[in-house]
Amino acid sequence: EEYATDALDAGLDVLLEKPLAHSIESAKRIVEAANAADGFCMAGFNNRYANPVEVIKGHQRNGRFGDIRHIEANYIRRRGIPGRGS
């Protein structure tokens, strides 16, 4: 949180890897700093730009789903538990 908010206050762009923060309060402070900053702030989630996600987001932008109020998604690894070489 300290590094992210200091960088945003300095006008720098920030990429945060998950977890975004270790508490809700800390996450709120980061969001407040990002909203007040001129810099760009983003949390990195490796599947955010995967093709299936892009397809769903395209349908959402086109209004196919109406007013979305909740989304639940799961991620399943094809190779099971991560290990050497996976």
Side-chain angles (χ1 to χ4, degrees):
E1 172 196 351
E2 176 186 354
Y3 299 120
T5 56
D6 285 351
L8 289 164
D9 290 344
L12 299 173
D13 296 328
V14 174
L15 171 64
L16 296 165
E17 288 294 339
K18 57 185 177 178
L20 172 66
H22 297 291
S23 71
I24 294 295
E25 294 77 19
S26 179
K28 287 179 181 179
R29 286 189 290 271
I30 293 169
V31 169
E32 289 169 2
N35 287 337
D38 292 329
F40 180 78
C41 183
M42 181 176 177
F45 292 96
N46 62 333
N47 288 317
R48 180 174 283 167
Y49 298 104
N51 188 57
V53 175
E54 290 293 322
V55 170
I56 293 294
K57 292 298 287 180
H59 290 311
Q60 179 190 14
R61 282 189 294 275
N62 293 332
R64 182 171 182 178
F65 305 122
D67 188 19
I68 297 176
R69 299 186 186 277
H70 176 82
I71 295 175
E72 182 174 330
N74 294 300
Y75 174 70
I76 300 172
R77 290 179 51 85
R78 286 187 286 175
R79 291 185 163 185
I81 298 171
R84 186 175 214 186
S86 70

